[in-house]
Amino acid sequence: MAGLIAKHHTDEDAAREYLEKQLWPDGPACPKCGLVGEAYKLEGETTRKGLYKCAGCREPFTVTMGTIFEDSHIPLHKWLFAIYLMCSSKKGISAHQLWRNLWGTDESGKQLGSYKTAWFMAHRIRWALGQEPVAGRLAGIVEVDETYIGGKERSGVANSKYSKKQAVVALLQRQGEVRAFPVDRITLNNIEPVLKAHIEPEGQLMTDESSVYGRPQDYFATHDRVNHKQKQYSRRVNGLTITTNSVEGFFSLIKRGNYGTFHHWGRPYTQQYLNEFTFRYGTRKMSDHERNAAAIQKTSGKRLTLKEPKRA
Ligand SMILES: [Zn+2]
């Protein structure tokens, strides 16, 4: 563990300077008027560290303003460490493990920090990871599939609001990114708007034989199907591989995470966890370092007003 702990993961000044470097590559950016590189640092004994004053609008600001860290009582270096841990763990990290890595216990065995705070941080980070990447629509070959994620089911409630399982649809651009969304129920009428909103009309759709994909040939360039009921999983047609194996592989990652790492998350949190898994998938070819930098970019330009636990 010790090898990967950076100074900005343990020291608050180093954390602030690190975040400034990451979010302000061209100098301090005023969150009020948008002026970049034209602010001066305010220094003095009573001045809080990291405070700048904009030469344009004359307003004071800091690097955490307008980020998910704004107004947080949790030290910035803990936040940065949490992001790093989430980005460098292939299967995700449970809130308990996060707490142990961020705080743990002191020599006398006294518990430091709290599980609740770690849980809160992980959710705020997941929320940030889900912001903004939805720029433009998926193109080329897009595999689409649906599944149910969650705990054990009593009989007769599947695909209903009484189900503990959450219906999820995923759209995976081959060689590209994946997007995943919880849907109320898996029906043609629920799936169709998701497909239209997220896939270019020129897209080549690949699905299984399910009737919920009944109309896509009317609005996408092509729509090929594999018939799983007939044990058909992949076939070559005119040099093209018709399959939904990639999107199914993505679902198995999520299910392993739900079962193994996160011990069946509650249905209301599904989108947050999907954010984490789609982010990790979209950055799968990056190093841990690059993925961490990409995640930090997403912490800016928004603020989540989820209520923070009292003790950090
Ligand atoms: Zn300004």
Side-chain angles (χ1 to χ4, degrees):
M1 197 52 154
L4 58 82
I5 296 180
K7 193 165 183 225
H8 59 262
H9 291 155
T10 56
D11 179 272
E12 197 61 358
D13 287 341
R16 195 185 54 253
E17 282 157 23
Y18 174 85
L19 190 65
E20 289 179 356
K21 277 207 190 93
Q22 295 290 317
L23 297 183
W24 293 343
D26 303 312
C30 173
K32 305 259 168 61
C33 72
L35 197 63
V36 175
E38 308 239 357
Y40 50 93
K41 205 166 191 171
L42 292 173
E43 274 162 313
E45 291 208 357
T46 55
T47 311
R48 117 176 116 116
K49 284 180 174 178
L51 197 64
Y52 291 79
K53 187 165 180 170
C54 178
C57 69
R58 319 286 302 161
E59 291 291 329
F61 65 91
T62 69
V63 70
T64 56
M65 212 172 266
T67 71
I68 60 164
F69 316 116
E70 185 174 1
D71 295 338
S72 174
H73 297 110
I74 302 158
L76 182 61
H77 67 268
K78 297 278 189 203
W79 278 110
L80 297 181
F81 197 16
I83 291 172
Y84 184 83
L85 290 167
M86 286 173 76
C87 285
S88 56
S89 111
K90 290 269 171 287
K91 295 174 184 167
I93 181 166
S94 69
H96 183 77
Q97 190 61 41
L98 197 58
W99 163 73
R100 279 172 36 122
N101 283 318
L102 291 177
W103 286 283
T105 51
D106 68 10
E107 294 83 2
S108 67
K110 184 176 167 280
Q111 187 173 319
L112 306 170
S114 77
Y115 166 85
K116 242 170 99 179
T117 303
W119 184 94
F120 160 82
M121 292 170 83
H123 270 293
R124 195 184 260 201
I125 292 165
R126 282 183 196 109
W127 179 86
L129 293 181
Q131 304 303 300
E132 283 162 46
V134 186
R137 289 185 282 193
L138 303 175
I141 297 172
V142 182
E143 298 181 19
V144 177
D145 198 14
E146 80 290 342
T147 195
Y148 294 90
I149 292 167
K152 275 203 171 149
E153 201 78 290
R154 52 198 175 92
S155 60
V157 296
N159 205 15
S160 82
K161 66 178 174 177
Y162 304 107
S163 173
K164 278 188 197 162
K165 290 182 191 284
Q166 173 67 55
V168 171
V169 59
L171 297 68
L172 184 147
Q173 178 177 322
R174 219 174 266 174
Q175 309 302 330
E177 62 168 306
V178 62
R179 297 177 188 175
F181 309 95
V183 285
D184 212 20
R185 293 175 65 221
I186 293 171
T187 62
L188 182 94
N189 285 339
N190 284 350
I191 304 264
E192 194 175 63
V194 179
L195 301 185
K196 283 181 173 174
H198 291 278
I199 305 173
E200 290 286 352
E202 295 77 29
Q204 298 170 273
L205 197 73
M206 295 193 186
T207 69
D208 62 20
E209 74 281 7
S210 167
S211 61
V212 300
Y213 306 111
R215 285 191 295 245
Q217 65 270 33
D218 298 339
Y219 41 86
F220 294 118
T222 61
H223 179 199
D224 289 291
R225 294 160 176 268
V226 281
N227 195 325
H228 287 163
K229 281 191 186 129
Q230 290 173 10
K231 302 253 185 287
Q232 181 191 71
Y233 296 97
S234 176
R235 64 178 192 280
R236 294 280 288 177
V237 178
N238 298 330
L240 203 64
T241 306
I242 316 271
T243 185
T244 55
N245 282 348
S246 309
V247 69
E248 285 166 44
F250 174 69
F251 278 146
S252 57
L253 284 177
I254 297 183
K255 286 178 178 177
R256 279 204 295 276
N258 178 273
Y259 178 79
T261 306
F262 301 111
H263 310 295
H264 301 303
W265 58 69
R267 263 185 86 163
Y269 302 107
T270 303
Q271 183 68 70
Q272 311 276 43
Y273 286 98
L274 292 178
N275 291 349
E276 182 179 335
F277 280 93
T278 54
F279 174 76
R280 194 174 287 122
Y281 187 88
T283 57
R284 67 197 177 282
K285 286 171 189 156
M286 294 181 183
S287 67
D288 288 351
H289 180 76
E290 291 167 328
R291 185 177 306 109
N292 181 61
I296 284 175
Q297 291 305 317
K298 287 175 176 291
T299 62
S300 173
K302 77 230 52 186
R303 208 177 113 216
L304 180 62
T305 49
L306 233 172
K307 207 162 185 289
E308 200 166 292
K310 279 209 178 71
R311 275 184 313 119

